[in-house]
Amino acid sequence: MESTNDPQIDIDEARRLLAAADDLQAEARREMAAHGWQWFLVWAPICLGAAISALTPIAGWYWLVGVPVGIGGTIAVSNRTHERSGVHRHASGYWWIALAMTVINFGASAVLADEVIVVVVWVVFGFGFTGFAILERQPGAAALFAMLAVAVGIAGPLVENTFSLYVVTGVVFAVAMVGVAVGIRSMGAPA
Amino acid sequence: MTAEQHPSQQLDDLVHQRVRLGILAVLAQGDRADFTFLKDRLDLTDGNLSRHLQVLEEAGYVAITKTFEGRRTRTWVVATKAGRKAFGEHLAALQQIIDLATGDAS
């Protein structure tokens, strides 16, 4: 590493440089936030659709459509982000999370009883969405989804009607996703 | 305090330059940044930004890649592990300088 020869760096210069670096980092975060909210909006209607479909005859095969739509949306958002954003993160993290949610949920549905899987599915999605929020550097959103996942996991064995829990959780997740998307988008709006 | 102990001795001349510090600041947030984004945010010309990127690239602090999107070529800048480390250490040294001068050092 090269070092400066002048040990008496002007304190004002140090402050200016730190402030400039902070400003640019904030700009980079705003640029990413201007596009990062879309990840969450992709999954909000899918969560809501799961809750609504549970009240209809299509409940049994909803996720056969919902998951591919979610993954397709995730890929579409990553392509759009890639094209439009001047600074961004690699999309592979999102794809891996979407893939993990799919494999775990379909795997679990093959071996677990229906009353268990309706809880497991939201726990898995909750932690998956936590992963999305971590990738977006949104600690508040990550904490929210992790708490929801844990809450559903705890409530699952305690409630008698896991079907109702499934429906309510789907709506709660959808609302949380929209809230997070709006929050992140407002962060990315020009000051 | 001796000159050897002063945090300014930890400052990296390559990173200390305002534009190069700015480039690394942007790259510290994402995995990669577009050449045009950097040029606009740092208010530079193509040539000026290219020269600074070349300095950082030769130091092993950034890597530059090009992608083709249709007929358009996009130039992407990625901070290397060494670049991220140098940036983090530089910010820490600047903060230490301020802390020492204001008596906040613990």
Side-chain angles (χ1 to χ4, degrees), chain A residues 1-9 11 13-15 17-18 21 24-25 27-29 31-32 82-90 137, chain B residues 6 8-13 16 18 21-22 25-26 28-34 37 41-42 69 74 76 87 91 94-95 98 101-102:
Chain A
M1 183 179 82
E2 290 182 38
S3 293
T4 59
N5 293 321
D6 177 13
Q8 299 308 315
I9 291 292
I11 184 174
E13 184 190 353
R15 281 197 173 118
L17 284 168
L18 274 181
L24 281 163
Q25 290 192 87
E27 274 204 54
R29 283 195 296 273
E31 172 74 4
M32 288 186 286
H82 176 87
E83 284 171 12
R84 297 189 176 192
S85 180
V87 52
H88 59 80
R89 300 183 188 94
H90 295 307
R137 311 274 209 282
Chain B
H6 196 278
S8 60
Q9 293 296 316
Q10 296 163 31
L11 293 175
D12 184 332
D13 279 348
H16 195 64
R18 182 187 65 83
L21 186 71
V26 170
Q29 293 301 307
D31 288 321
R32 62 182 186 174
D34 182 51
F37 178 83
R41 291 306 187 278
L42 296 165
E69 291 169 15
R74 279 182 89 175
W76 295 99
F87 174 71
L91 287 194
L94 288 172
Q95 190 59 56
I98 294 168
T102 56

Side-chain angles (χ1 to χ4, degrees), chain B residues 18-75:
Chain B
R18 182 187 65 83
V19 171
R20 294 195 286 268
L21 186 71
I23 293 169
L24 291 173
V26 170
L27 294 174
Q29 293 301 307
D31 288 321
R32 62 182 186 174
D34 182 51
F35 184 93
T36 307
F37 178 83
L38 288 172
K39 189 183 76 168
D40 292 345
R41 291 306 187 278
L42 296 165
D43 199 19
L44 299 169
T45 63
D46 284 4
N48 204 345
L49 177 57
S50 294
R51 277 193 293 279
H52 284 295
L53 288 176
Q54 191 181 353
V55 171
L56 289 170
E57 191 177 27
E58 285 170 359
Y61 288 172
V62 301
I64 295 166
T65 58
K66 289 182 190 294
T67 59
F68 296 94
E69 291 169 15
R71 290 182 175 181
R72 197 164 67 116
T73 304
R74 279 182 89 175
T75 303

Side-chain angles (χ1 to χ4, degrees), chain A residues 11-187:
Chain A
I11 184 174
D12 290 334
E13 184 190 353
R15 281 197 173 118
R16 268 197 305 275
L17 284 168
L18 274 181
D22 279 350
D23 287 348
L24 281 163
Q25 290 192 87
E27 274 204 54
R29 283 195 296 273
R30 277 197 295 275
E31 172 74 4
M32 288 186 286
H35 303 273
W37 60 274
Q38 297 169 57
W39 301 103
F40 299 96
L41 217 51
V42 164
W43 289 90
I46 293 170
C47 292
L48 189 62
I52 294 169
S53 74
L55 309 170
T56 71
I58 66 165
W61 52 268
Y62 175 79
W63 288 111
L64 290 175
V65 175
V67 167
V69 168
I71 291 176
T74 301
I75 292 170
V77 166
S78 84
N79 288 338
R80 185 183 160 94
T81 301
H82 176 87
E83 284 171 12
R84 297 189 176 192
S85 180
V87 52
H88 59 80
R89 300 183 188 94
H90 295 307
S92 55
Y94 297 90
W95 299 350
W96 281 114
I97 289 171
L99 186 66
M101 291 193 301
T102 306
V103 169
I104 294 170
N105 274 336
F106 280 126
S109 67
V111 295
L112 297 174
D114 283 352
E115 59 270 25
V116 178
I117 191 64
V118 293
V119 174
V120 169
V121 69
W122 289 127
V123 173
V124 171
F125 277 125
F127 284 119
F129 299 152
T130 302
F132 284 161
I134 289 170
L135 290 176
E136 283 299 323
R137 311 274 209 282
Q138 299 292 335
L144 171 69
F145 289 123
M147 279 193 297
L148 286 174
V150 170
V152 174
I154 292 171
L158 302 177
V159 299
E160 267 187 41
N161 190 345
T162 52
F163 172 79
S164 297
L165 179 67
Y166 176 84
V167 173
V168 169
T169 306
V171 174
V172 169
F173 266 112
V175 171
M177 301 294 263
V178 172
V180 168
V182 170
I184 295 176
R185 192 179 186 195
S186 63
M187 245 183 70

